[in-house]
Amino acid sequence: MATTAAARPAGPAPVAGQARADTAVEWYDTTVATIAAAGTPTQVADSRTWAISWLAATRAVERTPAGVDRGAFQEAALAGAVHKSLVTLVPARTAELDAALRRTLDRIPDGAAEDRGLAAGVRQARTVLASREGDGLDPASVEVPFTPPAPGPGVWQLTPPDLGPAIQAGTRHARPFLLDRPDQFRLGPPPALGSARYRADLAEVRAVGEANSSRRTPEQTETANFWLGSSMPLYNEPLRVALARSAREPLADRAELVALFHVAQVDTQIATSDSKYAHLRWRPVTAIRSADIDGDPATVPDRDWTPLHTTPQHPDYPSGHTTYAGAAEEVLTTLVGARTGPFEMTSGTAPGVTRTYTSWRQLTQENVDARIWSGIHTRSADVAGVGLGSRVGAYTLAHFDDLLR
């Protein structure tokens, strides 16, 4: 149960000269920690948790009533909305979340504004949670069985070394937050087998994506390693940078930044799954090893070709990493500008490596190149992914107000 103002003693008075805590960043960090501890098996479920929690916060903060202390109401509303959403979706973290809520409320003066704000946050969390019931983004719905089609030129097949089952095939059937339907931005077909674009794609990934490539530089290998894992957790830091550096902006706008970012990411993942399973384009490892069946005498098979990194078990076109990057860049560029002061990032798949960025576009470009240097995507799949993510991001920006009504 959420802590209420009446159930606790008044918090300590602020120390003179002490910087006031940033409630938005505080609950951003709490959301990061909660999702990391939850260990959800599907990335889109994590994005859903973010989207629900911060959409509820945005709705609660934007509906500040007249006649109350605006700051106290809004901070309590944001904390109450994110807290209620997270304890509902990640109940194993209730103790930690209750403690975080107490810390926030202890800073807010007791009174009607705090009480009404907290109640508004809880109310909006319940409303958003109810609206997303049965949306098909739970792990069981996302990971539905999928039988690959019969082998053929260009057709996706299970990939070595373990030939594991297809993943995320059910995401394409989920209910988006804002898209009219999952196939609203379905990509056109990938480059035709034997076309100049197809040949160039295959030649590039064959040369620089092979496990023991002599053409790939150490820096390129480092980039491939840096972006190897799920790219969404890596975007926690850029989004946090944008949030922290917007401290002078209204709290409603800051909550909306986080909510809009993750609503776009959920819908992008749905759209990505739709295009992947609509086109079922084979992965580079299959294309290179089976080049003798693609109808192009200019491509020669290499039965022993192995990518730098193990190929994920879903089709090539488009790249999921780059669709997420395209959506992220679109949202961040529109809301906070294309460039920012230098910020650093680290990655769990590249221990000891710290990279510095000054624009969101740098992250996108690294995602594009990394998947080629890993040997797991073609450049066409990566570039198409950026375009798809950007279109979903732009649509989210244009229609986000529909979720606030």
Side-chain angles (χ1 to χ4, degrees):
M1 180 180 295
T3 305
T4 62
R8 57 177 179 76
V15 177
Q18 184 177 14
R20 181 171 176 79
D22 186 327
T23 300
V25 171
E26 177 181 56
W27 280 93
Y28 184 92
D29 291 344
T30 297
T31 309
V32 169
T34 301
I35 289 176
T40 307
T42 58
Q43 178 174 281
V44 73
D46 290 344
S47 298
R48 176 184 186 268
T49 296
W50 272 104
I52 288 173
S53 302
W54 285 81
L55 174 57
T58 303
R59 289 168 59 99
V61 172
E62 287 203 343
R63 299 180 183 192
T64 304
V68 299
D69 181 291
R70 188 174 185 82
F73 178 94
Q74 291 188 340
E75 291 192 39
L78 186 148
V82 179
H83 172 271
K84 178 61 178 178
S85 300
L86 292 178
V87 296
T88 302
L89 297 169
V90 192
R93 297 288 291 179
T94 296
E96 292 83 358
L97 290 164
D98 284 351
L101 182 61
R102 284 193 296 272
R103 286 192 296 271
T104 300
L105 295 180
D106 282 345
R107 295 195 308 268
I108 301 171
D110 293 343
E114 180 191 49
D115 293 344
R116 292 177 66 181
L118 181 59
V122 171
R123 184 168 59 252
Q124 290 299 333
R126 287 174 174 155
T127 298
V128 177
L129 284 162
S131 74
R132 297 304 302 177
E133 281 289 330
D135 60 10
L137 291 169
D138 57 285
S141 298
V142 167
E143 299 298 358
V144 295
F146 179 83
T147 302
V155 178
W156 178 72
Q157 295 297 303
L158 303 182
T159 49
D162 58 2
L163 305 179
I167 61 173
Q168 300 168 14
T171 309
R172 70 194 195 281
H173 300 307
R175 172 162 51 90
F177 274 80
L178 277 172
L179 294 181
D180 295 329
R181 58 189 191 279
D183 66 351
Q184 183 172 345
F185 293 107
R186 180 178 290 176
L187 293 169
L193 300 183
S195 66
R197 179 70 265 170
Y198 177 79
R199 290 182 183 178
D201 280 341
L202 213 58
E204 180 183 27
V205 73
R206 184 191 288 230
V208 296
E210 196 266 335
N212 298 311
S213 172
S214 60
R215 299 271 300 277
R216 189 180 56 248
T217 68
E219 183 179 359
Q220 289 171 338
T221 300
E222 180 184 283
T223 301
N225 289 334
F226 193 90
W227 291 98
L228 174 59
S230 170
S231 59
M232 285 308 304
L234 286 179
Y235 271 93
N236 286 339
E237 187 57 31
L239 182 56
R240 188 186 192 280
V241 166
L243 181 67
R245 293 178 181 178
S246 66
R248 294 179 180 273
E249 300 300 320
L251 188 59
D253 292 350
R254 302 177 74 209
E256 183 171 309
L257 167 65
V258 180
L260 203 155
F261 184 97
H262 285 286
V263 166
Q265 291 299 339
V266 171
D267 282 8
T268 294
Q269 289 171 81
I270 294 171
T272 299
S273 178
D274 170 75
S275 282
K276 276 183 177 290
Y277 284 94
H279 294 297
L280 290 169
R281 171 52 64 95
W282 60 9
R283 286 280 189 159
V285 64
T286 309
I288 293 169
R289 292 184 180 187
S290 306
D292 52 338
I293 70 166
D294 66 7
D296 182 2
T299 55
V300 179
D302 182 349
R303 309 294 187 201
D304 297 321
W305 189 89
T306 300
L308 172 63
H309 294 132
T310 300
T311 302
Q313 294 292 356
H314 45 64
D316 178 61
Y317 185 85
S319 159
H321 271 55
T322 65
T323 59
Y324 315 150
E329 182 184 351
E330 184 72 27
V331 170
L332 291 170
T333 297
T334 301
L335 296 184
V336 302
R339 301 188 65 81
T340 186
F343 67 93
E344 294 183 342
M345 285 177 58
T346 59
S347 168
T349 54
V353 176
T354 299
R355 296 196 154 199
T356 302
Y357 302 92
T358 57
S359 75
W360 319 122
R361 182 64 183 174
Q362 290 173 277
L363 307 175
T364 302
Q365 188 57 57
E366 284 196 6
N367 268 280
V368 168
D369 292 334
R371 306 311 269 174
I372 299 161
W373 298 334
S374 285
I376 58 181
H377 273 301
T378 61
R379 186 167 294 276
S380 288
D382 290 346
V383 172
V386 174
L388 175 59
S390 180
R391 286 190 288 277
V392 176
Y395 188 86
T396 305
L397 286 158
H399 295 272
F400 188 74
D401 283 353
D402 293 348
L403 296 175
L404 303 181
R405 294 172 182 158

